[in-house]
Amino acid sequence: MASPGFFLICVLHSLVALTTGALMMFYSAEISAIKSQGSTPHDQLLIRTSDSFSGLLLVAIGSLLLMVAFVKDREFQSFFAKGCMVLHVGMAVWRFCFERKLEELVESFRRCPFLNPAFCRSAAAVESSPPAIAKTEA
């Protein structure tokens, strides 16, 4: 006997994953325009490509969840639900640790004068100015 809750949860998760994945793949230009302001064209292309592949991964996960929703074996449903819970907890822990490290990196970036964009722009302006011509008295 299959659990109706399992079917409902899998279908809802599948619809969310398919929708967000399709939006990420086909409407990434609107999303990336906000994230990549001030980046080089090559960086913008990498960001758009990364967003598209993330969307493709979400579409694949959504398709898998939709297929799994129709499995009627209660033992498999239990195994799959436990695996999903472990996966969700692992992702939450990884994201928490990663974001904390990212915040530390941003703080060290702001303190380092050689990596600070404001410092680099002022240094580039000094280097690009024409050198002063020394006057010699004859």
Side-chain angles (χ1 to χ4, degrees):
M1 185 73 190
S3 171
F6 180 81
F7 175 77
L8 184 65
I9 289 171
C10 281
V11 169
L12 288 175
H13 271 79
S14 173
L15 289 175
V16 168
L18 287 169
T19 304
T20 53
L23 288 173
M24 286 176 74
M25 283 193 310
F26 300 116
Y27 295 103
S28 67
E30 289 81 7
I31 297 167
S32 296
I34 296 167
K35 289 195 301 186
S36 64
Q37 277 182 326
S39 299
T40 65
H42 185 262
D43 292 343
Q44 292 172 359
L45 179 64
L46 287 174
I47 291 169
R48 284 195 309 264
T49 305
S50 173
D51 287 345
S52 293
F53 277 124
S54 297
L56 183 64
L57 179 64
L58 277 173
V59 167
I61 289 170
S63 301
L64 176 72
L65 280 171
L66 192 60
M67 289 186 282
V68 166
F70 292 101
V71 173
K72 301 292 183 197
D73 185 17
R74 193 165 182 89
E75 188 176 320
F76 174 77
Q77 289 178 352
S78 174
F79 172 75
F80 190 79
K82 288 175 186 173
C84 286
M85 288 301 298
V86 168
L87 191 72
H88 276 81
V89 169
M91 284 176 33
V93 168
W94 177 81
R95 185 164 181 174
F96 175 75
C97 293
F98 179 74
E99 285 183 2
R100 187 171 37 159
K101 295 283 185 189
L102 192 60
E103 289 173 7
E104 291 173 6
L105 183 63
V106 167
E107 288 302 317
S108 66
F109 179 75
R110 288 184 183 150
R111 284 190 297 253
C112 183
F114 298 110
L115 297 177
N116 193 340
F119 178 79
C120 292
R121 277 182 283 206
S122 64
V126 169
E127 289 175 4
S128 65
S129 64
I133 300 173
K135 294 183 180 180
T136 58
E137 293 182 31

